[in-house]
Amino acid sequence: QVQLVESGGRLVQAGGSLRLSCAASGRSVNGYAMGWFRRAPGKERDFVADISWSHNTHYADSVKGRFTISRDNAKNMVYLQMNSLKPEDTAIYYCAAAVSPAMYPVNRESEYDYWGQGTQVTVSS
């Protein structure tokens, strides 16, 4: 079993930056695809970004150029650097791990085997 714990969410002003962290425990996730999703108030959970075991990355169009996903395999950690934040980025952000994704980008929830509890990001205008 893999446990994922997100941190780093908080209230930030529009135009600001945040870095979210996802700590994995239970086993190494080095060989897994890792992803970030978000759920805005009253909406479905949406794909944000993913990163393969070899550090290839993919992004939703809405965050491309502003967000960067990365991983530190030695620390069993995944990060999401978020710059130029907008009020529409307000959401609960979830980290997820996919053991054997069928293809990239891994942008469907069903591809993921493990999920964290989420961290709240609020962007004020």
Side-chain angles (χ1 to χ4, degrees):
Q1 281 282 13
V2 172
Q3 293 78 44
L4 301 173
V5 178
E6 304 93 337
S7 62
R10 63 176 175 87
L11 173 65
V12 63
Q13 287 191 330
S17 298
L18 278 179
R19 189 176 84 151
L20 304 183
S21 299
C22 173
S25 62
R27 67 175 60 178
S28 170
V29 296
N30 289 354
Y32 298 178
M34 301 297 295
W36 286 96
F37 285 71
R38 66 186 181 186
R39 188 195 306 272
K43 296 188 177 181
E44 300 289 318
R45 188 157 58 181
D46 290 330
F47 170 77
V48 175
D50 73 48
I51 184 166
S52 72
W53 63 271
S54 58
H55 298 254
N56 291 322
T57 59
H58 306 90
Y59 298 93
D61 288 343
S62 58
V63 307
K64 205 171 291 184
R66 300 188 298 123
F67 291 11
T68 302
I69 188 172
S70 62
R71 65 192 301 165
D72 185 335
N73 287 340
K75 296 181 178 180
N76 229 22
M77 296 286 294
V78 180
Y79 305 98
L80 185 68
Q81 177 66 42
M82 306 187 294
N83 298 329
S84 303
L85 283 161
K86 305 175 181 180
E88 50 263 43
D89 294 319
T90 294
I92 301 173
Y93 283 72
Y94 299 90
C95 175
V99 176
S100 298
M103 65 178 66
Y104 285 90
V106 193
N107 54 13
R108 295 178 297 176
E109 290 188 51
S110 60
E111 290 280 356
Y112 288 86
D113 302 284
Y114 303 101
W115 291 85
Q117 293 299 306
T119 185
Q120 176 71 48
V121 173
T122 304
V123 184
S124 64
S125 56

